[in-house]
Amino acid sequence: MSDPAPAEAGPLEADNGEENDTNDDSDSAMGVSVLGSSSSMTSSIMRYREENGRTYHAYREGRYVLPNDAITGVDLSPIQPPFVPPNVTFYIDDLEDDWTYSYKFDFVFGRMLTGSIADWPRFIRQSYENLAPGGWIELSDILLDLQSDDGTVTPECATQQWAGHMLEAAAIWKRPLDSCKFYKEQLAEAGFTNIEEKIYKWPSNPWPKDPKYKELGNFAFCVILYS
């Protein structure tokens, strides 16, 4: 079990230019409006090549030699789009119930589940029990513990106080918002090996000068503002 990998960047430099005005969803450093950056996929992406009952990707055909994987998605709400590839299946289910799948998985992926799971050791244990030998699990989550490179986010900061109250409320509700701090230990206890933890910085608005982090901050700001 390896130690946590450090964040992929040192202290971020703030962009003090006028383009950092968060009232404008466009950004000169990005060259495109964040709110207009999404587009619908074309129908050609759904045209698969089929051989021996298995489908293969059509986009850049031949680059990936194996057939399309079978994907099972689970959610509490029926929010899935009606147009999905034939190898994708969605179930309306509760992952905190007993898993009753008739097959094993090669890969279990969970993203932004913090605040959704009450018993994380049980969830991770069920993931382990439902993985085929050699299978993998990946958990990608946020930590609601605001930090700053320059120390300006202090305990007296109103936003930090808000985050603290959110953590307290989630703990009372028994659905913690700091669950990712314990994933590494819980994965090991469930029997997983070759555990790797990576920690990334995620700006909450477009203040960084670095284009990569400015773009991440723009996306995060839009999620906070419009979701």
Side-chain angles (χ1 to χ4, degrees), residues 105-183:
F105 298 98
D106 295 314
F107 181 54
V108 172
F109 177 70
R111 179 172 59 191
M112 297 291 283
L113 291 178
T114 192
S116 301
I117 304 294
D119 190 345
W120 272 99
R122 182 172 185 268
F123 170 81
I124 292 174
R125 186 169 60 252
Q126 288 206 100
S127 299
Y128 182 86
E129 293 170 350
N130 283 270
L131 278 169
W136 291 81
I137 184 173
E138 178 180 338
L139 300 174
S140 178
D141 236 318
I142 61 170
L143 174 60
L144 191 61
D145 179 20
L146 306 182
Q147 300 180 19
S148 61
D149 288 332
D150 59 4
T152 53
V153 178
T154 65
E156 292 74 30
C157 174
T159 308
Q160 184 67 292
Q161 292 181 15
W162 165 81
H165 292 320
M166 289 290 291
L167 287 167
E168 293 173 3
I172 295 173
W173 191 36
K174 299 188 184 303
R175 297 187 181 276
L177 287 171
D178 59 351
S179 55
C180 64
K181 294 195 300 185
F182 310 102
Y183 291 165

Side-chain angles (χ1 to χ4, degrees), residues 66-81:
L66 299 178
N68 291 325
D69 301 312
I71 300 172
T72 300
V74 179
D75 204 314
L76 286 172
S77 300
I79 60 173
Q80 297 74 29

Side-chain angles (χ1 to χ4, degrees), residues 16-225:
N16 296 317
E18 294 181 357
E19 71 273 13
N20 197 33
D21 184 0
T22 55
N23 291 322
D24 184 1
D25 64 271
S26 62
D27 192 308
S28 61
M30 296 176 61
V32 64
S33 169
V34 172
L35 297 183
S37 63
S38 61
S39 59
S40 299
M41 67 179 182
T42 62
S43 60
S44 62
I45 205 72
M46 303 288 287
R47 298 177 192 145
Y48 293 106
R49 178 171 61 86
E50 185 172 344
E51 288 185 10
N52 303 316
R54 295 186 175 185
T55 60
Y56 295 78
H57 68 99
Y59 177 64
R60 295 185 176 176
E61 182 177 349
R63 179 164 295 188
Y64 183 62
V65 299
L66 299 178
N68 291 325
D69 301 312
I71 300 172
T72 300
V74 179
D75 204 314
L76 286 172
S77 300
I79 60 173
Q80 297 74 29
F83 51 94
V84 296
N87 63 318
V88 176
T89 303
F90 286 108
Y91 292 100
I92 307 303
D93 203 353
D94 188 347
L95 289 173
E96 294 193 277
D97 290 341
D98 292 336
W99 292 17
T100 57
Y101 301 104
S102 59
Y103 48 87
K104 298 287 187 179
F105 298 98
D106 295 314
F107 181 54
V108 172
F109 177 70
R111 179 172 59 191
M112 297 291 283
L113 291 178
T114 192
S116 301
I117 304 294
D119 190 345
W120 272 99
R122 182 172 185 268
F123 170 81
I124 292 174
R125 186 169 60 252
Q126 288 206 100
S127 299
Y128 182 86
E129 293 170 350
N130 283 270
L131 278 169
W136 291 81
I137 184 173
E138 178 180 338
L139 300 174
S140 178
D141 236 318
I142 61 170
L143 174 60
L144 191 61
D145 179 20
L146 306 182
Q147 300 180 19
S148 61
D149 288 332
D150 59 4
T152 53
V153 178
T154 65
E156 292 74 30
C157 174
T159 308
Q160 184 67 292
Q161 292 181 15
W162 165 81
H165 292 320
M166 289 290 291
L167 287 167
E168 293 173 3
I172 295 173
W173 191 36
K174 299 188 184 303
R175 297 187 181 276
L177 287 171
D178 59 351
S179 55
C180 64
K181 294 195 300 185
F182 310 102
Y183 291 165
K184 186 176 180 180
E185 177 183 351
Q186 292 166 349
L187 287 166
E189 291 175 349
F192 285 99
T193 58
N194 299 324
I195 301 169
E196 183 177 0
E197 182 180 41
K198 294 184 178 180
I199 301 174
Y200 298 94
K201 292 182 179 181
W202 189 4
S204 58
N205 55 63
W207 62 263
K209 189 173 184 179
D210 183 281
K212 171 185 174 181
Y213 289 97
K214 180 178 288 292
E215 183 177 29
L216 287 174
N218 258 313
F219 286 135
F221 182 73
C222 288
V223 169
I224 294 170
L225 196 61

